[in-house]
Amino acid sequence: MRNFSYFMPSRIFFGAGSVKKLSRAALPAGKGLIITGGTSTRKLGYVDKVAQALAEGGHETVVYADVQPNPTIEGVRACAALAREQGCTFVVGLGGGSSIDTAKAAAVMATNDGDWWDYVFGGSGKGQKIPNPALPIVAITTTAGTGTEADPWTVITNGEEKIGGGGDKTFPTLSIVDPDFMMTVPPHLTAYQGFDALFHACEGYIANIASPISEMFSLKAIELIGKSLPRAVANGADKDARADVALANTLAGFVESMSSCTSEHSIEHALSAYHPSLPHGAGLISISLEYYKLFTQACAGKLVDMARALGKHDASKPADFIDALHDLQVACKVDQIKLSDYGVDPSRFGEYADNARTTMGGLFGFDAREVSREDIIGILTRSYR
């Protein structure tokens, strides 16, 4: 058995009504910066509920509400400047991965000189070590997809570079996973987000640094998604299904902390960096069948395990996982995604492949077999429609 380490310092409160825990949370005295995006967190009253809970704990709050769906370096800079200007002592990421990832990066910039890109590895990032601790980070997820409430990673876009970053200093101090905050997510976004969580678990399971602990979390996350994602897509008011998918998402975040994503995420990040209207989950779904076919020999036993976890209990060969994955996509009505609808251009497949290897090249080192430039182009070619 290979050596491994276990480090997961975030305190997580899970379940309906968990947001009330904020009133008793051990946060530093002073003002919190609530970072969110879109309009739903305000229209649905989530911002007010968070601000009220923090007020009961003696904290004032200020709100930044302009996070973009693919969060940008410009948004991170604006949040960090606001935190400094207002003298904030902690940050709250409220929303999906975009808001929480922005909060993580802004928490670093608020206490360190320079720019977030100074601390990013890959692409034009400088790869410097973060010298000072970040502001404490509270993560309150309103989606079940990124798992960022349970890992230290951020994904920020800078021009045509969409790169994950982070480390020990960017683990959330406190995370709230309240399925009540997820009940109104539309069906197609529920599916996209759920598949993102699924692929975090699947990639982490076949990664060459997987450990017994990460594998345990991976299989449970895959099982919960296979069981309940179609139900959550079909009926967003199904509280049990929402809770299952929310838990799967958090477990998949544990997997990202203890194992790693693989090059599937590198490839999709390149696509959505060039085409920001492409939802991350949709991009992953579109390339997933061809991606996992590359690993039917290198990860034969693990693909069988994942097929069984998805509900194909009689699985006996790697191709059964591909079939089970396709069946889940059909059940969630996301099997007909067209990359062409988002402007993906076949003449640029080589450019996308180069971007994937340059900006997120580190993930290729965690693949169970080499994924070459030609492999990437092949995946894109066979997935394109």
Side-chain angles (χ1 to χ4, degrees):
M1 183 180 295
R2 90 172 52 228
N3 295 349
F4 66 91
S5 64
Y6 178 97
F7 179 65
M8 176 49 203
S10 302
R11 182 182 296 276
I12 297 175
F13 293 109
F14 182 95
S18 295
V19 71
K20 296 175 183 177
K21 300 282 189 180
L22 282 176
S23 64
R24 302 188 299 277
L27 293 169
K31 185 183 297 184
L33 171 60
I34 300 175
I35 297 172
T36 191
T39 59
S40 63
T41 55
R42 285 167 288 171
K43 285 182 177 179
L44 296 169
Y46 300 160
V47 172
D48 290 340
K49 287 180 180 180
V50 169
Q52 180 181 345
L54 288 170
E56 291 173 4
H59 301 287
E60 296 181 25
T61 52
V62 60
V63 178
Y64 177 93
D66 294 321
V67 174
Q68 302 302 306
N70 278 304
T72 65
I73 187 65
E74 290 80 11
V76 171
R77 292 165 182 159
C79 287
L82 182 60
R84 289 186 175 189
E85 174 189 313
Q86 293 288 324
C88 294
T89 58
F90 62 94
V91 299
V92 180
L94 171 63
S98 299
S99 297
I100 298 172
D101 287 5
T102 298
K104 290 178 179 179
V108 169
M109 281 189 63
T111 59
N112 288 277
D113 294 332
D115 189 73
W116 173 248
W117 227 244
D118 294 339
Y119 310 115
V120 168
F121 289 84
S124 61
K126 295 182 180 179
Q128 297 176 3
K129 184 178 179 180
I130 300 171
N132 302 318
L135 292 178
I137 301 158
V138 178
I140 306 175
T141 181
T142 62
T143 67
T146 68
T148 193
E149 73 276 6
D151 70 48
W153 310 119
T154 73
V155 178
I156 303 298
T157 298
N158 183 1
E160 292 182 342
E161 296 181 325
K162 182 178 178 182
I163 304 179
D168 288 356
K169 292 183 171 72
T170 47
F171 272 103
T173 302
L174 171 67
S175 292
I176 304 289
V177 185
D178 188 337
D180 284 351
F181 277 23
M182 304 175 187
M183 303 297 287
T184 61
V185 178
H188 70 291
L189 294 181
T190 298
Y192 295 165
Q193 293 157 10
F195 273 93
D196 188 16
L198 174 66
F199 294 132
H200 290 158
C202 292
E203 292 174 48
Y205 192 62
I206 67 172
N208 59 25
I209 58 167
S211 72
I213 294 179
S214 71
E215 289 172 345
M216 173 183 67
F217 288 131
S218 288
L219 290 177
K220 187 61 179 179
I222 294 167
E223 175 191 331
L224 289 168
I225 289 170
K227 168 190 170 188
S228 294
L229 182 59
R231 289 168 47 205
V233 171
N235 177 15
D238 185 329
K239 289 191 174 184
D240 290 337
R242 288 287 191 188
D244 279 353
V245 177
L247 178 57
N249 177 55
T250 299
L251 296 179
F254 292 166
V255 174
E256 290 188 87
S257 297
M258 301 166 202
S259 181
S260 177
C261 286
T262 61
S263 59
E264 181 182 18
H265 264 69
S266 304
I267 299 167
E268 198 294 319
H269 281 184
L271 293 175
S272 52
Y274 282 90
H275 307 284
S277 65
L278 174 63
H280 176 55
L284 289 169
I285 292 165
S286 70
I287 64 174
S288 61
L289 299 178
E290 293 301 329
Y291 180 81
Y292 286 97
K293 286 177 184 177
L294 292 183
F295 295 92
T296 54
Q297 292 186 7
C299 301
K302 287 197 166 186
L303 264 63
V304 172
D305 293 342
M306 294 192 297
R308 292 173 178 169
L310 274 181
K312 196 173 181 64
H313 301 298
D314 61 348
S316 60
K317 57 187 183 299
D320 289 333
F321 173 70
I322 310 301
D323 293 339
L325 182 57
H326 177 260
D327 290 345
L328 184 63
Q329 292 174 5
V330 172
C332 294
K333 298 181 172 59
V334 292
D335 57 309
Q336 296 298 317
I337 294 170
K338 294 182 179 180
L339 289 173
S340 58
D341 288 344
Y342 299 96
V344 174
D345 182 355
S347 70
R348 303 180 73 182
F349 284 172
E351 189 176 350
Y352 303 146
D354 292 338
N355 181 284
R357 296 183 67 83
T358 300
T359 61
M360 295 284 286
L363 295 186
F364 287 83
F366 300 126
D367 287 329
R369 53 146 287 187
E370 181 183 0
V371 177
S372 67
R373 183 179 189 270
E374 291 70 27
D375 287 329
I376 299 171
I377 293 172
I379 290 167
L380 295 173
T381 300
R382 294 186 296 274
S383 302
Y384 184 80
R385 55 186 170 189

